[in-house]
Amino acid sequence: MAGEDAVKPKAPSKPRIDAIDGCRFALVLPIVIAHFARFSTDNKRLLKILTQENVLVGGFFVISGYVAAYTATKLGERAADERKLARPELFFWQKVM
């Protein structure tokens, strides 16, 4: 019975914000399409419309910055997680892989 007493309740984890993922996808899709459109058409008007993705890239970076800050902080606090700051290279590679 000692094993049952050793089980600790799991700390509350942050909820995944699906709307953020949807916004990021909605910003990335036109960027990807515009990159391929440059090689698929010679229509100057269409190229001018499709290659104005610089605003979308800025929006994507803003949302990605929010996601990075959201994952690096503790739930319900305005402080960074000390374990993640102790070895930032490990935190980086865990997110990349």
Side-chain angles (χ1 to χ4, degrees):
M1 295 287 187
E4 292 177 17
D5 294 333
V7 176
K8 294 180 182 177
K10 187 176 179 183
S13 63
K14 291 184 181 181
R16 184 176 183 95
I17 305 173
D18 294 329
I20 297 272
D21 292 336
C23 288
R24 289 172 69 193
F25 176 76
L27 290 170
V28 167
L29 184 63
I31 294 170
V32 171
I33 291 171
H35 279 74
F36 286 109
R38 292 180 183 171
F39 301 108
S40 64
T41 184
D42 290 332
N43 185 341
K44 299 275 187 200
R45 177 174 276 172
L46 183 63
L47 281 174
K48 190 166 188 169
I49 292 170
L50 289 177
T51 57
Q52 297 299 319
E53 73 265 4
N54 54 355
V55 174
L56 299 173
V57 171
F60 177 78
F61 284 151
V62 167
I63 292 175
S64 295
Y66 175 78
V67 169
Y70 182 74
T71 59
T73 57
K74 293 181 182 179
L75 183 63
E77 296 181 19
R78 289 186 168 212
D81 189 354
E82 301 302 326
R83 292 178 296 142
K84 293 176 182 176
L85 291 177
R87 297 194 52 203
E89 69 282 354
L90 179 61
F91 176 67
F92 171 77
W93 286 114
Q94 286 175 340
K95 295 299 174 191
V96 170
M97 300 303 201

